[in-house]
Amino acid sequence: MSSLGTIAFTPNAIPQAAAPNLMPLRVRDLGLSFEGEAVLSGVNLDLGPHGCTAIMGPNGAGKSLLLKLLHGLISPTTGEINWGGQTAAAAMARQALVFQKPVLLRRSVAANIDFVLRAKGRPRSLCNALLDHVGLAQKARQPARLLSGGEAQRLALARALATEPDVLFLDEATASLDPASILSIETIVRDACARGVRVICVTHDIGQARRLADDVVFLQGGRIAEHSAARDFFSAPQTTAARDYLNGRLVL
Ligand SMILES: Nc1ncnc2c1ncn2[C@@H]1O[C@H](COP(=O)(O)OP(=O)(O)OP(=O)(O)O)[C@@H](O)[C@H]1O
Ligand SMILES: [Mg+2]
């Protein structure tokens, strides 16, 4: 595997048509109900142009649904989402979402990237650089279904980056990976963030949130209980719910 520390992949070198910036994100009074039952309510959120935001909170708090709303995959029952003047649906094309379980094409590793590059009208020559970037260059011709969990997730991340997203969403993307795989994914995410990709990740991994996040949105019972700088959140959480969550106590 190539060293993830020496990265030659420089997508910003490719000339692009100027596009309006998707940030800042402005969310107002967002609510989501299923059959009259509210699963998210009164969500207000402002995110600035740079960095990595971690969304944390107990199981069932509404983290994945919030991510899907922000990405425009589902529509809210109430309220609005504004990405630099655009709706979530309009902004979706310049965003990418990586789930806990990567869904890969039943083709070669390289074909998974090639497919996205073609769909996005980007140079297919980028495929090698992307695979090298995530340490999969040696496995380019191998069927993607033979990859290990950590390798498959790196391919999913490379595929997300192949779209050259302005915003990268991660929903527990490292939840079932070993510590070394987690760190290699974090290296790729940190690098993307340093190149200006806005990262919003859901994670239960407190160590990961400490390593990656600039700020933390803490959800409980479908509401934002706390939104603070990561340093403050981990050193002095403001709510009992967040304190209990960080201490491993059940919060519902
Ligand atoms: N399609 C649906 N219909 C009805 N309820 C739903 C639907 N999708 C999700 N929910 C409910 O909404 C709540 C929030 O779900 P969500 O998947 O966002 O939780 P989460 O915070 O991501 O939890 P986890 O940490 O377990 O992934 C849960 O109680 C879930 O059962
Ligand atoms: Mg979830």
Side-chain angles (χ1 to χ4, degrees):
M1 171 173 136
S2 76
S3 160
L4 292 175
T6 54
I7 288 161
F9 173 57
T10 53
N12 290 343
I14 300 159
Q16 276 200 307
N21 199 319
L22 287 186
M23 304 306 292
L25 168 66
R26 211 178 104 101
V27 175
R28 287 296 173 269
D29 200 26
L30 196 69
L32 180 66
S33 300
F34 292 111
E35 293 174 3
E37 196 80 13
V39 288
L40 284 169
S41 44
V43 173
N44 293 297
L45 181 63
D46 289 281
L47 295 185
H50 304 295
C52 172
T53 299
I55 300 177
M56 306 189 83
N59 293 136
K63 305 177 298 295
S64 295
L65 289 174
L66 178 58
L67 225 54
K68 286 178 184 164
L69 284 167
L70 296 180
H71 190 29
L73 284 176
I74 54 176
S75 300
T77 310
T78 60
E80 63 175 57
I81 297 168
N82 185 315
W83 287 99
Q86 298 183 60
T87 63
M92 191 199 278
R94 288 167 47 212
Q95 303 174 335
L97 171 56
V98 176
F99 294 99
Q100 179 177 351
K101 289 196 183 124
V103 184
L104 301 173
L105 297 175
R106 290 181 68 81
R107 302 186 193 170
S108 72
V109 167
N112 269 269
I113 302 291
D114 195 55
F115 177 82
V116 172
L117 291 173
R118 261 190 299 153
K120 286 280 179 180
R122 302 193 65 213
R124 295 170 72 183
S125 54
L126 282 173
C127 184
N128 287 344
L130 277 156
L131 289 178
D132 193 45
H133 180 56
V134 298
L136 289 175
Q138 306 301 319
K139 305 213 176 229
R141 313 250 158 267
Q142 183 175 306
R145 68 189 155 78
L146 298 182
L147 294 178
S148 73
E151 290 167 345
Q153 199 56 296
R154 292 209 303 274
L155 178 56
L157 204 45
R159 196 177 50 182
L161 294 174
T163 68
E164 200 168 38
D166 290 351
V167 180
L168 176 64
F169 295 106
L170 305 165
D171 192 353
E172 299 194 48
T174 58
S176 52
L177 306 185
D178 70 30
S181 295
I182 290 174
L183 290 182
S184 67
I185 295 271
E186 287 178 7
T187 302
I188 299 163
V189 171
R190 199 177 291 110
D191 176 76
C193 205
R195 284 188 286 103
V197 178
R198 189 61 170 85
V199 176
I200 301 177
C201 66
V202 170
T203 182
H204 287 293
D205 182 338
I206 293 168
Q208 174 167 83
R210 280 178 182 274
R211 289 188 294 273
L212 287 183
D214 299 296
D215 58 322
V216 177
V217 173
F218 183 76
L219 272 183
Q220 191 208 7
R223 292 180 173 274
I224 295 183
E226 193 164 338
H227 181 198
S228 5
R231 193 180 313 153
D232 299 337
F233 180 78
F234 292 113
S235 64
Q238 296 299 301
T239 56
T240 309
R243 274 196 295 279
D244 286 351
Y245 176 82
L246 291 171
N247 289 329
R249 292 192 212 115
L250 186 64
V251 198
L252 291 173

